[in-house]
Amino acid sequence: MSRSPSGDRVALWRNPTFRAYVLQGVLLAALAALIGFIVVNTMANLEARGISTGFGFLDERAGFSIPQTLIEYSGDSTYGRTFVVGLLNTLLVSALGVVVATIIGFAVGIARLSPNWLLARLAGAYVEIFRNIPLLVQILFWYFAVLQALPSPRQSLSFLEIIFINVRGLVIPDPQPLSGFAATPWALLVGIVAAIALGIYAKRRQVRTGKALPIYWLGAGLIIGIPLVVFLLTGSPLEWSIPELTGFNFSGGVRVLPELVALWLALSIYTAAFIAEIVRSGIQSVPQGQVEAANALSLPGSITLRKVVIPQAMRVIVPQLTSQYLNLIKNSSLATAIGYPDLVAVFSGTTLNQTGQAIEIVAMTMAVYLTISLVVSALMNVYNARTLLKER
Amino acid sequence: ATLDDVKERGSLNCGVNVGLAGFSSPDSDGNWQGLDVETCRGIAAAIFGDPEKVEFTPLTAKERFTALQSGEIDVLSRNTTWTATRDNSLGLNFTVTTFYDGQGFMVDKDLGIESLEDLDGASICIQSGTTHELNLADYFPSRDIDINTVTFDTPDQTAQGFAHGRCDVLTSDTSQLSALRLQLPEPDSVEILETLISKEPLGPVVRQGDDQWLDIVQWSIFAMINAEEMGVNSDNVDEMRDNPPNPGVARLLGDDGNYGEQLGLSDDWAYNIIKGVGNYGEVFTATVGEDSPLGIKRGLNALWNEGGILYAPPIR
Amino acid sequence: MIEMKGLNKWYGDFHVLRDIDLTVKRGERIVVCGPSGSGKSTLIRCINHLESHQQGEIVVNGVAMTQDVKRIEQIRRNVGMVFQHFNLFPHLSVLENCCLSQIWVQKKPRAEVEKTAMEYLERVQIADQAYKYPGQLSGGQQQRVAIARALCMRPEVMLFDEPTSALDPEMIKEVLDVMVELAREGMTMLCVTHEMGFAKTVADRVIFMDQGQIIEEAPPETFFNNPRSERTKLFLSQILGH
Amino acid sequence: MIEMKGLNKWYGDFHVLRDIDLTVKRGERIVVCGPSGSGKSTLIRCINHLESHQQGEIVVNGVAMTQDVKRIEQIRRNVGMVFQHFNLFPHLSVLENCCLSQIWVQKKPRAEVEKTAMEYLERVQIADQAYKYPGQLSGGQQQRVAIARALCMRPEVMLFDEPTSALDPEMIKEVLDVMVELAREGMTMLCVTHEMGFAKTVADRVIFMDQGQIIEEAPPETFFNNPRSERTKLFLSQILGH
Amino acid sequence: MAGESMRDEMIEARRPPNAHRGVLKWLQRNLFNGPINSVVSVVTLGVLVWALWPFVQWALIQADWLGDSRQACSGEGACWVFISARFESIIYGFYPEAARWRVDIVFALMAGLLAWLAIPKVPGKRWAAIIAVIGFPIAAYVLLLGGHFGLMHVSTRNWGGLMLTLTVATIGIVGSLPIGIVLALGRRSKMPLVRAVSVVFIEFWRGVPLITVLFMASVMLPLFVPTEVEFDKLLRALVGIMLFWSAYMAEVVRGGLQAIPGGQEEAGKALGLNYWQRMGLIVLPQALKLVIPGIVNTFIALFKDTSLVLIIGLFDLLAIIRAGLTDSDWLGFATEGYVFAALVFWVFCFSMSRYSQYIEKRLQTGHTN
Ligand SMILES: Nc1ncnc2c1ncn2[C@@H]1O[C@H](COP(=O)(O)OP(=O)(O)OP(=O)(O)O)[C@@H](O)[C@H]1O
Ligand SMILES: Nc1ncnc2c1ncn2[C@@H]1O[C@H](COP(=O)(O)OP(=O)(O)OP(=O)(O)O)[C@@H](O)[C@H]1O
Ligand SMILES: [Mg+2]
Ligand SMILES: [Mg+2]
């Protein structure tokens, strides 16, 4: 190992390979020692304090209700189910937030570089305002601003008497699947698979023959068409529950909570300010020559942006964008401030209080966020790898 | 043992609420104030003879039990409801109820609500991390009343939600309702319903397995209640000690017997409490009662012989 | 084809083009040379409005240049440009680079576009690399792709801004060969270059610039063998010196 | 000065240097040429261990190259290198670029270091630009700074990796002039270049490489006028052709 | 064949035509160039006025400024009396009144040092840096904590308000940057284990919410360490914050490192510099400059996240204002409190953002290839 190409012996401690191994060995040992130390201590301390641990509490009856549940849930459900409900709510608002923040962020970031003075300044102001004010304050602002603007349930704004907007949220008709509906989701799945297969085929075909298929139209047709046909063939097994004002509130229909809207707005607008800065730096990293070349080809501005600038800026943008997505997801836990029932609110909030199993619950919460984050980074890394330039 | 740790450290670590009007909140100089806070000061006075030898650790609802379990604090005095689970399965012991509360409801006067049955279909604003959510889930479904809960993190956010019309009803401990009402733009437009749906006995908590420490906390509070019953207050305590009007006062203030020593404290422990923070009545009046903006009536928290249920074991 | 009259341009306070008058006829091949910083690039970049000028007129193929976006696009469609540093789009394959403008500007069907593109790629002898990415090609190959990309627009005029100076000596030849052939076919060309060999072979006229002005304008024989201005003589001695 | 024996190097499975034997004596000036990808850069980069080789020996100035960090540093201190793309440090001024290695490697006092640096900058006739940043200089100037920077280490050997091929024709002259002068002063030099004029003027020997091997090794007159291998003849015809 | 021509007289450089000067011209060029832009401009200005006017009226025109109790509040506009009555605690937290001069000194020192370091014209940067890195932390430690040289000891429990926010933010920023740099270098290391450890560290800290980290640090830490060990709570939070944000910083820096061409390192090698010299003198200065926007993004996020120290029971600026809202004498002034907090945070973050943009411009040393 320490033989050099020229054959003479090298002092062991000067050999870079040897050094590397020693350093790494020390690092590994230190890490193992630290983890061992923490584990041993925690065990001893838990023992000494007589604190019982375990995940048995997940099977106990929760006994409290949650205002927004994407799956069946009632006070009789278990804490385990509470966990799932909270998790789904977190995922919902995060997903919505990520989409909108990305859209606003790109728009503002691009606008900041616009030759239109007013637009550029407004975009700059947007960034400087929303980036520099604590998110909590912004969430509260949007929540109460949103609420303030809306009428009470009895004076609801209505659209065709089937959609209602009021201070309690947006109420829309709720589709109720009847028997036989189950075929439609399967058909949707088939449609998506078919569309992906078509995409792969089309790409191959294009490489081989140079001919392209209109894959977007065909794909959309497959994804929408197949389920639609199946839906109609099975006799349209769907019924709508129309909301109705009864007493205090609307019954029937699905309700979109104002908490969700406010949180979604606040998260999107706040994160978009950060994304805008990232997009700006990304675009500025694309060499000016690229835009000039596009101009020389007389490509219109929008095409230049979409086909030439943005794809190249993505290399710089994507890693930082990942961080912002993770931040958004984690920031969604500020939901507790306005009563949106996310994971932190219902699980490491209410459940923790009811059961007192802090260690387990905090550990589970951390694990969940960690998992979400790792999945997001993994996806973004895949995308990042695709944006990397093909070079020699 | 906890007492030794506390003595060695020279101060008591007491977990309190981050901010709850009347129970614990820091004033602009950082002096903690409120009923829960005075309880801690009383305990510190009993141990050290000095009510200021206490460090307050503000805790959120989520942290409170863990902080006590892990030893971050010696006693948790943070409007915590005494329930079987908490007492039995968390390795904790509740000591004495310092405040008898119950969950009540506040509604807009205009709605004309008279009983809880009228609340069918209503939205209810509630603060998370309390027993309130469980109480609602116990009470309404069993009576076939349909309600929607909207859960907030802190009391003032709950009040804001109610004020902005997010819900028809605000529910909380009655002690809180009066405070929350003051935060509304028009406090007179709402009313607090008579009906209470739960028992909420609030009191300090200690770790299980240290009986001496449990006794000290318990008896510090008993001393405050007994003092009120005997008419001993911070103004007259010196005089009472010098000329005890009766043997009960003499035992309380350490003129007779060695009750302090039995606890591991000095015999003038109760004197120190009353000298330092006053008797229960004084504390109540100043923090949540008539002399405070909250103006809560004594109600259940009056002495047993004055129409309430406050009843401390005798010192003898 | 191209007419410039009284063209003046400033960068801030710096007077970079001074009273330029130049007429290029259809099918003419012009080589522009001059010391570094003399405004050669700026001049040809004005022709497809990569730079805007402040005074004077430019008419390209009968279209007068104004600030109007439509007009500028119309002019650019007639003018192909090849940059010194190629400026290929690195995220697109060679073929896609060539198809881009036809698809988005001329809105032709993809199949047809790709056929045209392949033709031009063959013309520069690089059709076999069509599915590679620019980063996978050598400099000379990249520059040939850049030429093909510009040709795909079927421009009336081609502008070359030092198309060989970023290349290794061996690769220069590849590119010059292509340019010579284009010139033979009668393409109108304006070329900034120091390759005097090229100038001698194909140019109809050589233009020598210094300090933002056209100093001398002459057919190559006259220019190289019989330069009239002192400045030109000095410059030629340097270029041909080593 | 430099001795290579049985040098072999692979990139992965690709055999990039094959059985290279080469001896360079003190004060010798050697030009390396050959087609692109033939391993010229790799060869000279092995000399200061920017690339590590897998077989064979390299001895530089009496020091045998091993994996030993100290030895590598010792060798590098004796070998200056000038890169094709200059690789100046853009965040440091010209003077700081030149002082860096003396201050941190040779640990000399700053005043002395700056004096030496200014001397070398004068030598490459660029002392007046000492306080500018590289980004503010022309390519030729930048490459001269790069040479000065390497010289400041007072190396025994200078390696040049196509030092002029990133330059505009006018700037090539500046750099070649400096190199010619260095050669006259007797510096040991290894230079990868296609500037045949330079090779003819100053080289003691020309080495022609192809496919990772040394094909031909000869004094310039023989090499240019009387190449022995077919490969060399083909190559020379291309280079000198246009 | 086309004509020949030659110029004997050189044309003198002239001044550019005076086309674009003056306020009106400016307005025309920037706001009203074309019908669409004009409409956009007018509508935007209109919306701005429409949206801001009620706020201005509430916050300024109808506001109450003077007084010392809630009786001074008329209820028509904002009642800033709430802020002024609690102003001292908003600044100093619960720091004992008698010792507040110490806080003043520390922050005056910090402001002075920052100015010294930040304003390019002031000479002696090297000394400023030495003082900032060695002298100032010691001075700040001694002054703020006390307990030496006859200064009264002030426990970190009493720290709070803006002073705590600034302290935590400063230490967080100063601590997370170097750790982040080391992690970023580690992630690009050639040693698999070093790289693996860096990756795991970064992904872990980037993946968990800071709230849970602080929760662990504040109430669960005693479970992890032997019972005798005690850490100051603030210290625990600081360590948590530093580690957390260093992971973000590492990713930002990594982006910068990736953008530096390999030739730079090679040139460093050829000059005989060793690894740390190459990194410290060549690669990092360039990489960090490139990612200034990202670094500042992180600083700003960190600054605002100091609010989470509430979890360890300390009252930062935002928390102390919220605590004020629960003072039974001052119930119902939430809006004023939040608006004021937003304003203070904004001022600090905006200054950082602006200064960084200024630095970005200054560090431009001509374009690079
Ligand atoms: N954006 C700009 N702002 C200010 N000055 C500029 C700008 N672009 C170019 N210049 C200056 O204008 C002059 C002409 O530049 P141009 O690029 O046209 O020269 P050139 O003749 O093409 O030189 P080269 O042979 O080096 O490419 C130079 O002095 C240059 O410094
Ligand atoms: N990191 C690498 N991994 C794999 N192959 C490489 C690597 N670097 C260079 N090569 C290959 O090694 C061969 C020799 O490269 P080298 O750079 O030494 O050639 P060269 O003679 O300097 O060519 P040029 O004149 O183009 O600079 C080339 O075929 C190249 O593709
Ligand atoms: Mg040019
Ligand atoms: Mg090479």
Side-chain angles (χ1 to χ4, degrees), chain E residues 207-221:
Chain E
V208 298
L210 183 53
I211 302 187
T212 56
V213 172
L214 292 180
F215 183 92
M216 288 228 168
S218 95
V219 293
M220 283 161 74
L221 192 75

Side-chain angles (χ1 to χ4, degrees), chain A residues 178-243:
Chain A
L178 303 176
S179 67
F181 181 74
T184 309
W186 284 111
L188 180 65
L189 194 67
V190 170
I192 292 172
V193 170
I196 292 173
L198 178 81
I200 294 170
Y201 167 75
K203 183 106 195 172
R204 292 225 181 106
R205 196 176 102 113
Q206 185 183 344
V207 170
R208 214 175 47 231
T209 66
K211 292 197 193 76
L213 293 170
I215 39 171
Y216 292 110
W217 290 112
L218 286 178
L222 284 175
I223 293 176
I224 297 170
I226 296 184
L228 194 66
V229 169
V230 171
F231 179 73
L232 293 175
L233 283 181
T234 50
S236 313
L238 205 59
E239 190 174 70
W240 296 91
S241 137
I242 309 286

Side-chain angles (χ1 to χ4, degrees), chain D residues 45 76 88-91 104, chain E residues 263-264 266 269 277 281 365:
Chain D
R45 287 157 59 89
R76 282 181 183 159
L88 292 178
F89 305 129
H91 62 298
W104 293 96
Chain E
Q264 291 289 315
E266 282 185 356
K269 280 185 189 167
Q277 288 171 338
L281 296 170
T365 52

Side-chain angles (χ1 to χ4, degrees), chain D residues 43-87:
Chain D
L43 177 70
I44 69 164
R45 287 157 59 89
C46 279
I47 295 174
N48 63 351
H49 204 264
L50 290 183
E51 307 280 355
S52 59
H53 56 282
Q54 282 99 14
Q55 274 181 7
E57 284 172 33
I58 304 181
V59 181
V60 180
N61 207 12
V63 184
M65 173 99 61
T66 63
Q67 290 291 322
D68 182 344
V69 182
K70 289 279 157 232
R71 288 235 182 142
I72 293 172
E73 284 178 6
Q74 196 185 341
I75 290 180
R76 282 181 183 159
R77 243 170 286 155
N78 282 321
V79 179
M81 177 138 185
V82 178
F83 297 85
Q84 175 177 7
H85 290 283
F86 330 144
N87 290 351

Side-chain angles (χ1 to χ4, degrees), chain A residues 392, chain C residues 168 170-171, chain D residues 11-12 14 16-17 34-43 45 51 84 161-162 192 194 209:
Chain A
R392 258 201 286 201
Chain C
D168 282 355
E170 290 162 284
M171 299 182 175
Chain D
Y11 282 125
F14 178 60
V16 53
L17 291 182
S36 182
S38 56
K40 309 179 294 295
S41 300
T42 313
L43 177 70
R45 287 157 59 89
E51 307 280 355
Q84 175 177 7
D161 192 0
E162 310 201 24
V192 177
H194 294 98
M209 286 184 74

Side-chain angles (χ1 to χ4, degrees), chain C residues 11 14 16 35-42 162 194, chain D residues 168:
Chain C
Y11 281 126
F14 178 60
V16 54
S36 181
S38 55
K40 308 179 292 296
S41 300
T42 312
E162 310 201 24
H194 295 99
Chain D
D168 282 355

